[in-house]
Amino acid sequence: MIDFQLFLTPTLETIYMVFLSTIFAVLIGLPAGVLLVVSEGNHVAPNPTLHRILGLLVNISRSIPFIILMILLFPLSRLIVGTTIGTTATVIPLSIAAAPFVARVVESSLKEVNAGVIEACRSQGASTMQMITKVLLPEALPGLVLGITMTIINLIGYSAMAGAIGGGGLGDLAIRFGFYRYELGILIIAVLIIILLVQLMQYAGNSLANAIYKKRS
Amino acid sequence: MIQLKSLTKTFPNPDGKIMAVDQVALTINTGEIFGIIGLSGAGKSTLVRLINRLEEADSGEIWIDDTELRQLSINQLNLERKEIGMIFQHFNLLQSRTVEENVALPLELAGMKKNQITARVQETLDLVGLADKAKVHPAQLSGGQKQRVAIARAIANRPKILLCDEATSALDPQTTKSILTLIKELKKTLNLTVILITHEMEVIREICERVAVMENGAVIECDAVETVFSHPKTKLTRSFVTSLRPDRKSVATKDSTSYRLKLTFLGDSIREPLLSRTIRKYNVEINILAAEINQLATVPVGNLLIEVSGSKKEIESCIHKFQQQEIQVEVVSA
């Protein structure tokens, strides 16, 4: 018989990791994405050098495979959290892996904002900061919600991978019990819970975005 | 007063540079409605964007009263922009905001206090006749209503100047008229100076006092609207003037002795000796200007353009007679 108590802690750990790393990834990625957009050639605060450097940074960090990024970031985890093992330590590489993704997601949503609307607000004397907070972000909100949903789902996947090198959570459970101890049942249930989490998040994200669209139509 | 002095703007393109605005010098008086007409690509939209520096000019000066706009820093410019409202062909309203929130935006940008904003928004929506749509999102409005919201937004800060960039080009003729009437009213109540860009001569005739004609980035003619209409100097201006459709309203009220009518008749009525009977019955003379018969799928359709001369009363009764015979009558001109 499978002990369901076994799954409770890893599930909570996964949720904890994903939740925290989403927050940090958005804290880093959102400003980066906004800067990427507004610094572009004909946008509100053109700055080609900044635009190119940011784009390069984002591309480089997105090119590194997550598992390698995690190992590369061990020293940073040790510095901030004091250890490289466990859920809290895993939040560091997860956040840093997801941040450039968030930046690109934010960039593509903000680019969808109608150029005419931006022009109209410039004609009213909006400063760059006002343009970002009062025009770009609110106008792009449904796209941002969907993009962050996508980030959360990616992070659920990454967090399971992090389990392989001592990250805790459902991935860790699946590897330790299912792989090393041949308890296939536990592996399958762990995967099912991950699927359930992904479904729930996608459903919540879609509903929220649709609610915003509906309010505006 | 707005003074543009040898304003020039070029855009790079693969074969060198395109002269979008070429040495434009214009003086626009305070409180007038000034039209700028030209074909698409003539540079009129670029010119209007140079005025509030949505586009930066290559050279030249932009004077608004005693301020030269090109000398201002970006912060000073943003302050000055609050004195210059602007409306656009595609309205450019924010989807994330309701009508009242859209109108409130320029006030928020200007740092006005919340309770003052509420009062001002209310007042401004009343001015454009949309107070009942305050809580609605723009997606639910018609084109004309959206443009009214855009106008309310443009005048919320009570600017001195209103720039209109093809503001009626996406609207049907009826709505165009009502928007132009609104602009005319607002000009009076708020003492605005209006600069209006269009490619339609009718818009110029409807509300402008003076007009500049643009071609290839340069102003080729600039004068009072009546002068340009009666004595167009250039070929382009002549083509704009002749493109005008006859103004039906002024014809109908005129006590003229000669009317030009377009008659459209269907099916059997085509075979009636309509005109000879009319001449015999009424004291009018009829001159046929154009006639054609088209065979539709089931019935023939006749179109006849005639000129009827006689007393106003006689002409009206013969129009009435035509209509009784189920002939469509349209008064084309006098």
Side-chain angles (χ1 to χ4, degrees), chain B residues 241-253:
Chain B
V241 174
T242 47
S243 75
L244 273 179
R245 282 186 316 186
D247 191 341
R248 280 176 205 145
K249 201 171 71 194
S250 65
V251 168
T253 54

Side-chain angles (χ1 to χ4, degrees), chain A residues 114-142:
Chain A
N114 185 309
V117 171
I118 296 171
E119 189 180 45
C121 297
R122 280 179 66 207
S123 80
Q124 292 159 21
S127 66
T128 306
M129 206 54 201
Q130 287 173 324
M131 187 70 87
I132 292 166
T133 56
K134 289 185 182 288
V135 183
L136 292 175
L137 292 176
E139 284 290 287
L141 192 59

